[in-house]
Amino acid sequence: MTTPFPFTALVGQDDLRLALLLNAVSPAVGGVLVRGEKGTAKSTAVRALSALLPEVAVVPGCRFSCDPAAPDPGCPDGPHEAGTGTTRPARMVELPVGASEDRLVGALDIERALAEGVKAFEPGLLADAHRGILYVDEVNLLHDHLVDLLLDAAAMGASYVEREGVSVRHAARFLLVGTMNPEEGELRPQLLDRFGLTVEVAASREPDQRVEVVRRRLAHDDDPAAFAARWAGEEAAVRERIVAARRLLPQVRLGDGALRQIAATCAAFEVDGMRADIVMARTATALAAWAGRTDVLAEDVRQAALLALPHRRRRNPFDAPGLDEDRLDQTLEEFSGEDDSDPDPDPDGPGGGGGGGQPAPDDAGPRGGDTAARPEAGEGGEPQPSGAGEQSAVRAAEPFRAKVLSVPGIGEGAAGRRSRARTEHGRTTGARRPQGTLTKLHLAATVQAAAPHQRARGRSGPGLVVRRDDLRQATREGREGNLVLFVVDASGSMAARQRMSAVKGAVLSLLLDAYQRRDKVGLVTFRGAAAEVALPPTSSVDAAAARLESLPTGGRTPLAAGLLKAHDVLRVERLRDAARRPLVVVVTDGRATGGPEPVALAGRAARLFAAEGVASVVVDCESGPVRLGLAGQLAAELGGTAVTLDELRADSIAGLVKDVTRRAA
């Protein structure tokens, strides 16, 4: 068995360690989401926490970790008689990103259920994690259907497995810990809100601290047992402190003054719903118990806000997480009660949080960050020159709800919300023989396949004699996520009449739509004499938004180069993920200039997409009283459709007329 890195040997990361310890003291806090760049000890800290948790008393032989003092009356291995049990270490169960539904929730033997009427159930990871830790590395890459199952289990404290009227239920209360790299995409808002606390981690920029990190890591890798032995005393002390804090927790008093500060803080930062208030109250109580106090102080409320609110304030994926600490202090001061202490806490005081402030992200995205690194529009929105033939970047207009663009036909790509696809979830459209493990039984088709053979199989009773060859897998139709590749014209003609701001706003709206529909996105830009891949295909739409925001304009329009570059991107991506279908969105006014025969070259490049059946949409950015209709011609060459900027809005009159006309036809 591998010896884990000791929790107390971690260097720095005070907020991360504190958030994990608070959940160890009070699992009701609701788990931790750890956000940060790669190589910042996220996974190491989570795995080290499990060694600090107190042992768990369980019923001997129960696969669902029932508490002998209060066994679950509905346990599939029950009923259990209350009494003495045995103890075992708390478990940390890891959920792989590519896990199947059966691996997560467990599986029923459908064949035995139909033929014998018994519930033969094999527990999944949710059963293993009961009364322990469920750890999801790269939680933002988890498939949607697994996210839904996690949400249900976390909300109800139980897992339900239902297959064609046969159901099994078992308790599933666990500490949910997730780690993620924001560069690889954001979490769905529902799952984001389900995490009680969030922590931003980043590698230290202090040379001495980095040296100590490397020194300890190398010492552990050389001799894990000896390294762990050197930290055994500190580990035992923290373990005892967790036990003492758990015992003290029921005695901690959350006064009216602290409650008013919690409510006022949540209201001041405009968080949605009431979960933030509840999580803050539980976190502040756990902080007091961890510090060995029975009263919740203002410093506890402040620390709780810094851990519980940042991820609940985001309105869209382009907003940078964080909390205005000056505003927080002002709110706490305004609503300080007589039973609270000085709202300006000592950063080295009880709790070990070190102030708990969130580290500022390196790239705050299009709505924040270092404005000096990004040229801005001048007064009145006029772009400022930054070189020959080039104009500085302008800000995007406000995003809007975009019209749904989809790929025609039925695919078989990753689960999402854009185009029709054959998926494991959705409405049942038919049945087929299972290929591998049966996951979704089509009951009627199975009975129909078995019925003609009952006499030959010697059926004599009421039961149906079912063989494995009779089983039929249900085929289902749902939605898939696509690769939405944006090909954006950044030439000088696009900068005319201040169109680029509106164009960026439109692309930003489509990026937001791609985030909501679980797509991968890529960005190709062309201007001057060439095209470039501004962002290779990724799940991080906020990274695409940041690249778009800093995009300068100017020069000629090498339309053919942009299309050929996009074709190369699709070719490479097809080798990586052949099942994910692409949707190419070309944002241009349709002009092609520069080089010999630019229009003819652009037409030949466009016909490559048409020949391969690639779905495409041209967003026509031409404006003014006189229009040449070049974008429409490009769409015809691509074999796609053209929409104007106005028609791209979901609530546009033109879009409504088209929808009505299509339905009437």
Side-chain angles (χ1 to χ4, degrees):
M1 182 177 179
T2 305
T3 303
F5 194 90
F7 188 86
T8 52
L10 294 170
V11 179
Q13 309 294 18
D14 294 337
D15 293 338
L16 171 57
R17 290 189 292 169
L18 178 61
L20 292 172
L21 289 170
L22 292 177
N23 276 272
V25 171
S26 176
V29 166
V32 186
L33 174 64
V34 187
R35 298 165 45 94
E37 59 197 25
K38 53 187 176 292
T40 50
K42 300 187 297 293
S43 301
T44 300
V46 176
R47 294 188 176 99
L49 176 68
S50 61
L52 296 178
L53 296 181
E55 291 190 333
V56 178
V58 296
V59 174
C62 178
R63 297 175 297 167
F64 302 90
S65 303
C66 279
D67 186 350
D72 181 7
C75 176
D77 284 354
H80 304 299
E81 294 184 2
T84 59
T86 185
T87 59
R88 62 161 175 78
R91 290 176 181 159
M92 190 198 75
V93 177
E94 293 194 43
L95 172 60
V97 170
S100 65
E101 179 180 337
D102 287 347
R103 185 72 186 97
L104 178 62
V105 300
L108 286 170
D109 190 331
I110 300 297
E111 186 175 2
R112 290 189 63 192
L114 286 175
E116 305 173 28
V118 298
K119 296 180 181 179
F121 180 68
E122 184 66 28
L125 295 177
L126 290 179
D128 292 340
H130 180 47
R131 303 175 67 198
I133 300 174
L134 181 62
Y135 172 49
V136 188
D137 193 13
E138 306 293 350
V139 64
N140 50 325
L141 303 182
L142 200 63
H143 287 297
D144 272 6
H145 68 284
L146 296 182
V147 170
D148 293 335
L149 293 170
L150 273 181
L151 289 174
D152 290 342
M156 296 183 294
S159 175
Y160 293 83
V161 183
E162 298 189 5
R163 298 284 169 81
E164 304 297 340
V166 181
S167 64
V168 171
R169 172 213 166 273
H170 65 82
R173 292 182 296 274
F174 47 81
L175 169 58
L176 181 61
V177 180
T179 58
M180 60 174 283
N181 184 348
E183 294 178 356
E184 297 173 342
E186 288 292 343
L187 274 177
R188 287 173 53 186
Q190 295 93 331
L191 183 58
L192 189 65
D193 185 57
R194 189 65 65 183
F195 284 97
L197 310 179
T198 186
V199 176
E200 290 278 336
V201 296
S204 172
R205 299 298 185 257
E206 294 292 332
D208 291 342
Q209 196 171 67
R210 295 175 73 96
V211 166
E212 187 60 25
V213 169
V214 174
R215 182 181 290 118
R216 294 186 186 184
R217 183 78 254 181
L218 294 178
H220 175 267
D221 292 346
D222 289 342
D223 192 342
F227 185 81
R230 292 207 305 268
W231 292 89
E234 287 84 349
E235 293 282 287
V238 173
R239 192 178 298 110
E240 292 173 1
R241 187 175 176 184
I242 292 174
V243 173
R246 284 188 173 186
R247 291 173 181 165
L248 184 62
L249 188 64
Q251 305 171 36
V252 175
R253 186 181 71 90
L254 184 63
D256 290 343
L259 274 175
R260 282 184 59 81
Q261 286 183 319
I262 290 170
T265 301
C266 293
F269 286 100
E270 299 179 350
V271 296
D272 296 330
M274 295 298 298
R275 181 173 285 117
D277 303 63
I278 297 170
V279 170
M280 272 190 65
R282 289 172 173 166
T283 305
T285 303
L287 279 162
W290 178 248
R293 290 185 271 99
T294 57
D295 286 316
V296 173
L297 306 181
E299 64 192 59
D300 300 322
V301 176
R302 185 182 193 277
Q303 183 70 66
L306 292 171
L307 293 172
L309 296 188
H311 61 302
R312 293 186 165 88
R313 296 191 61 248
R314 303 189 75 185
R315 291 294 180 263
N316 63 62
F318 311 136
D319 293 337
L323 213 61
D324 185 342
E325 296 193 35
D326 291 337
R327 185 179 179 188
L328 173 60
D329 291 335
Q330 182 180 354
T331 303
L332 293 176
E333 176 67 28
E334 182 180 353
F335 289 88
S336 60
E338 294 180 358
D339 59 340
D340 292 321
S341 67
D342 184 357
D344 183 18
D346 177 7
D348 297 322
Q358 300 296 330
D362 291 336
D363 183 2
R367 295 292 178 259
D370 184 8
T371 56
R374 182 179 66 248
E376 301 292 351
E379 294 183 7
E382 292 293 338
Q384 299 299 307
S386 60
E390 179 178 308
Q391 296 173 330
S392 60
V394 297
R395 282 192 176 277
E398 284 299 316
F400 51 82
R401 190 166 65 89
K403 190 174 182 178
V404 179
L405 307 175
S406 60
V407 178
I410 301 179
E412 296 182 347
R417 297 185 183 84
R418 183 170 297 279
S419 306
R420 296 172 58 196
R422 298 182 185 90
T423 61
E424 289 294 320
H425 298 268
R427 62 186 182 90
T428 301
T429 58
R432 59 174 173 81
R433 290 182 181 273
Q435 299 172 349
T437 304
L438 178 70
T439 55
K440 297 290 183 182
L441 179 76
H442 194 296
L443 182 58
T446 298
V447 172
Q448 187 176 9
H453 308 291
Q454 296 305 295
R455 181 175 297 178
R457 293 173 182 173
R459 172 185 170 185
S460 59
L464 187 67
V465 181
V466 179
R467 302 277 174 83
R468 182 163 294 277
D469 290 342
D470 301 326
L471 299 178
R472 294 294 182 268
Q473 172 84 26
T475 57
R476 303 195 173 200
E477 183 178 306
R479 293 280 170 177
E480 68 176 358
N482 298 111
L483 166 60
V484 182
L485 181 61
F486 294 94
V487 186
V488 180
D489 183 350
S491 63
S493 64
M494 295 292 289
R497 302 186 185 93
Q498 302 176 15
R499 276 185 289 169
M500 202 59 194
S501 177
V503 168
K504 286 186 176 183
V507 178
L508 200 63
S509 303
L510 292 171
L511 283 171
L512 181 59
D513 182 69
Y515 163 75
Q516 295 168 341
R517 299 184 188 281
R518 307 294 286 175
D519 295 316
K520 291 181 71 174
V521 296
L523 179 62
V524 173
T525 64
F526 58 94
R527 65 185 181 90
E532 65 171 343
V533 181
L535 184 72
T538 176
S539 297
S540 178
V541 295
D542 51 344
R547 302 291 174 87
L548 176 73
E549 186 78 6
S550 61
L551 178 66
T553 58
R556 293 184 177 274
T557 312
L559 179 57
L563 294 175
L564 291 174
K565 181 68 72 173
H567 188 266
D568 286 343
V569 170
L570 294 185
R571 178 181 56 80
V572 173
E573 192 64 19
R574 197 176 292 120
L575 297 175
R576 295 174 178 170
D577 187 358
R580 189 180 288 269
R581 297 188 295 164
L583 173 63
V584 177
V585 180
V586 184
V587 186
T588 181
D589 56 10
R591 289 180 172 84
T593 60
E597 300 183 343
V599 177
L601 284 175
R604 286 199 290 271
R607 288 191 287 274
L608 290 175
F609 292 86
E612 296 177 1
V614 176
S616 59
V617 175
V618 178
V619 179
D620 185 358
C621 303
E622 193 173 24
S623 61
V626 179
R627 303 196 180 196
L628 302 178
L630 298 177
Q633 297 176 24
L634 175 62
E637 297 277 10
L638 287 165
T641 59
V643 296
T644 65
L645 287 175
D646 289 336
E647 291 172 344
L648 196 60
R649 293 178 179 270
D651 55 354
S652 69
I653 295 177
L656 291 175
V657 171
K658 281 190 174 183
D659 288 342
V660 171
T661 304
R662 190 181 297 112
R663 293 192 189 108

